[in-house]
Coordinates of all heavy atoms in Angstrom, one line a residue:
N217 N 17.2 -1.7 -1.5 CA 18.4 -0.8 -1.5 C 18.8 -0.5 -2.9 O 18.8 -1.3 -3.8 CB 19.5 -1.6 -0.8 CG 19.3 -1.8 0.7 OD1 18.6 -1.0 1.3 ND2 20.0 -2.8 1.2
T218 N 19.2 0.8 -3.1 CA 19.5 1.3 -4.4 C 20.5 2.4 -4.3 O 20.5 3.1 -3.3 CB 18.3 1.7 -5.2 OG1 18.7 2.3 -6.4 CG2 17.5 2.8 -4.4
L219 N 21.3 2.6 -5.3 CA 22.3 3.7 -5.4 C 21.7 4.9 -6.2 O 22.4 5.7 -6.7 CB 23.6 3.3 -5.9 CG 24.4 2.3 -5.0 CD1 25.7 1.8 -5.8 CD2 24.8 3.0 -3.7
L220 N 20.4 4.9 -6.4 CA 19.7 5.9 -7.1 C 20.0 7.3 -6.5 O 20.0 7.5 -5.3 CB 18.2 5.7 -7.1 CG 17.3 6.8 -7.6 CD1 17.4 6.9 -9.1 CD2 15.9 6.7 -7.1
S221 N 20.3 8.3 -7.4 CA 20.6 9.6 -7.0 C 19.5 10.5 -7.4 O 19.2 10.6 -8.6 CB 21.9 10.1 -7.6 OG 22.1 11.5 -7.4
L222 N 18.9 11.2 -6.4 CA 17.8 12.2 -6.7 C 18.4 13.3 -7.6 O 17.7 13.8 -8.5 CB 17.2 12.7 -5.4 CG 16.4 11.7 -4.6 CD1 16.0 12.3 -3.3 CD2 15.1 11.3 -5.4
E223 N 19.6 13.7 -7.3 CA 20.2 14.8 -8.0 C 20.5 14.4 -9.4 O 20.2 15.2 -10.4 CB 21.5 15.2 -7.3 CG 22.2 16.5 -7.9 CD 23.4 16.9 -7.2 OE1 23.7 16.3 -6.1 OE2 24.0 17.9 -7.6
E224 N 20.9 13.2 -9.7 CA 21.1 12.8 -11.1 C 19.8 12.6 -11.8 O 19.8 12.8 -13.0 CB 21.8 11.4 -11.1 CG 23.3 11.5 -10.6 CD 24.0 10.2 -10.6 OE1 23.3 9.2 -11.0 OE2 25.2 10.1 -10.2
L225 N 18.7 12.4 -11.1 CA 17.4 12.3 -11.7 C 16.9 13.7 -12.2 O 16.1 13.8 -13.0 CB 16.3 11.7 -10.8 CG 16.3 10.2 -10.7 CD1 15.2 9.8 -9.6 CD2 16.0 9.5 -12.0
G226 N 17.5 14.7 -11.6 CA 17.1 16.1 -11.9 C 16.5 16.9 -10.8 O 16.1 18.1 -11.0
E227 N 16.4 16.3 -9.6 CA 15.8 17.1 -8.5 C 16.9 18.1 -8.1 O 18.0 17.8 -7.8 CB 15.5 16.2 -7.3 CG 14.2 15.3 -7.5 CD 13.0 16.2 -7.6 OE1 12.9 17.2 -6.9 OE2 12.1 15.9 -8.4
E228 N 16.4 19.4 -8.0 CA 17.3 20.5 -7.7 C 17.6 20.8 -6.3 O 18.7 21.1 -5.8 CB 16.8 21.8 -8.4 CG 16.7 21.6 -9.9 CD 16.2 22.9 -10.6 OE1 15.8 23.8 -9.9 OE2 16.2 22.9 -11.8
D229 N 16.5 20.6 -5.4 CA 16.6 20.9 -4.0 C 16.9 19.7 -3.1 O 16.2 19.5 -2.1 CB 15.4 21.7 -3.6 CG 15.2 23.0 -4.4 OD1 16.2 23.6 -4.7 OD2 14.0 23.3 -4.7

Side-chain angles (χ1 to χ4, degrees):
N217 289 339
T218 175
L219 293 175
L220 170 72
S221 169
L222 292 171
E223 187 174 358
E224 290 178 1
L225 279 177
E227 285 295 322
E228 298 179 356
D229 299 322

